[in-house]
Amino acid sequence: MIALITGATAGIGKATAFKLAENNYKLILTGRRKNKLDEIKKEIEDKYKVQVTVLNFDIRDKQACYDHLNALSNEWKQVDVLVNNAGLAQGLNTINNGLEEDWETMIDTNIKGVLYITKIISNWMIARKKGHIINIGSIAGKEVYPNGNVYCATKHAVDALNKAMRIELLPSNIKVTAIHPGLVETEFSIVRFKGDEQRAKQAYTGLQPLTAEDIAETILWAIQRPDHVNINEIIITPSVQANARDLIRN
Ligand code: NDP
Ligand code: 8X3
């Protein structure tokens, strides 16, 4: 079995790479940080003895997405599981104070990147009449919170695309699942606050957040269901979080 995970250099994508390798998946891992991809490939190949191919490109670059995927050998194009994970929040501002470059980065990564990758891989899956696409959404794709505007809009788009894929890929026997996490401690908040580690830490202070491994285990569970079962979506939060605004801190 082959799984392709976008954004596998950190956080949820990296944890999912390890979890799937442990379960004998061969992996195609993508991301912009080549040194991280190379480190992770070596660590996984040494530890789990499965083959790992790394593809180093920016998912916002349509031509780079198409060129890297199309250059894979036929053997590696037999992708059984696609995890559309690469994504980010950048900034936390009201719309009138928002930065256009933040909006464009989020829209280009979280929506357009998912579309470019899915277009290519779903065609391979359609030809084989099998496959499973996991879309990493967010509770921000289910509700909206102050200053989250554009990030929430991109994750609402992922929610809509997940439903659209489910309908359109149904005749081709392709499963489609969205995982919508609440607070997960990864590099997410460091990226959102542009390297301000103190501010990033505050997101997780006084509570026990989810870990990237929690999400990786959820993905593994979804893809291990029997053939006749499709998990359409899962919303998963820390026990102390009910939604984007209601959470208990010590
Ligand atoms: P991290 O910042 O830890 O990881 C994000 C991954 O996405 C990295 O591997 C990064 O790789 C990759 N990525 C970002 N931009 C690009 C790009 N332009 N091209 C290619 N790869 C890119 O965050 P998480 O693991 O938390 O985030 C993973 C997903 O989970 C995202 O879609 C996020 O929105 C979602 N999510 C996260 C939650 C959280 O609380 N952490 C909650 C709900 C959803 P590189 O920088 O090397 O390119
Ligand atoms: C990440 C979770 O609540 O910061 O998608 O938007 S949240």
Side-chain angles (χ1 to χ4, degrees):
M1 298 279 268
I2 297 179
L4 188 151
I5 303 167
T6 66
T9 57
I12 293 169
K14 179 178 173 183
T16 304
F18 278 80
K19 184 56 67 186
L20 297 197
E22 190 184 359
N23 284 271
N24 287 321
Y25 278 83
K26 295 205 287 184
L27 299 173
I28 304 167
L29 306 180
T30 88
R32 289 168 301 178
R33 285 171 287 179
K34 185 168 185 320
N35 60 330
K36 297 260 180 205
L37 286 173
D38 291 342
E39 272 170 35
I40 291 166
K41 171 182 162 71
K42 185 170 183 325
E43 213 180 320
I44 289 179
E45 286 183 338
D46 288 349
K47 191 165 179 192
Y48 298 113
K49 314 292 176 215
V50 297
Q51 282 176 272
V52 180
T53 289
V54 296
L55 302 179
N56 179 215
F57 63 89
D58 188 322
I59 206 171
R60 291 171 294 176
D61 181 340
K62 178 174 56 184
Q63 203 53 49
C65 292
Y66 294 169
D67 289 348
H68 279 89
L69 294 179
N70 286 324
L72 287 167
S73 67
N74 274 341
E75 188 200 332
W76 279 104
K77 285 180 180 165
Q78 313 301 306
V79 173
D80 298 288
V81 174
L82 163 63
V83 184
N84 277 321
N85 166 74
L88 79 175
Q90 209 165 273
L92 194 62
N93 285 308
T94 55
I95 288 175
N96 58 301
N97 288 316
L99 299 178
E100 289 82 348
E101 59 265 35
D102 288 346
W103 300 346
E104 281 151 17
T105 300
M106 290 186 277
I107 291 167
D108 290 351
T109 310
N110 301 358
I111 306 177
K112 290 161 77 179
V114 168
L115 288 171
Y116 302 149
I117 300 291
T118 304
K119 177 172 179 177
I120 300 285
I121 308 284
S122 63
N123 273 309
W124 299 345
M125 290 178 169
I126 289 166
R128 298 172 67 215
K129 280 206 169 290
K130 66 183 277 211
H132 195 158
I133 298 176
I134 304 283
N135 294 307
I136 306 299
S138 170
I139 54 169
K142 294 288 176 183
E143 51 188 302
V144 177
Y145 51 84
N147 304 329
N149 44 60
V150 175
Y151 177 67
C152 294
T154 66
K155 289 298 182 178
H156 276 68
V158 172
D159 187 33
L161 290 173
N162 185 70
K163 290 175 185 150
M165 288 179 206
R166 179 81 187 118
I167 296 167
E168 292 167 10
L169 296 172
L170 202 52
S172 300
N173 189 40
I174 295 166
K175 296 187 185 189
V176 180
T177 301
I179 313 281
H180 297 290
L183 281 173
V184 189
E185 189 164 11
T186 61
E187 294 179 8
F188 178 86
S189 291
I190 298 170
V191 172
R192 167 172 261 175
F193 298 119
K194 302 178 181 176
D196 183 342
E197 299 207 5
Q198 279 312 104
R199 198 165 170 208
K201 257 203 185 101
Q202 285 167 17
Y204 313 110
T205 301
L207 57 78
Q208 184 173 353
L210 295 170
T211 63
E213 288 70 26
D214 294 324
I215 307 303
E217 278 176 7
T218 307
I219 292 169
L220 179 70
W221 178 79
I223 64 176
Q224 283 183 333
R225 292 310 84 215
D227 282 351
H228 70 288
V229 178
N230 183 72
I231 306 299
N232 285 251
E233 59 181 335
I234 295 175
I235 299 176
I236 172 170
T237 63
S239 304
V240 292
Q241 181 177 29
N243 54 47
R245 301 183 73 168
D246 292 288
L247 45 87
I248 306 290
R249 292 184 198 268
N250 297 326

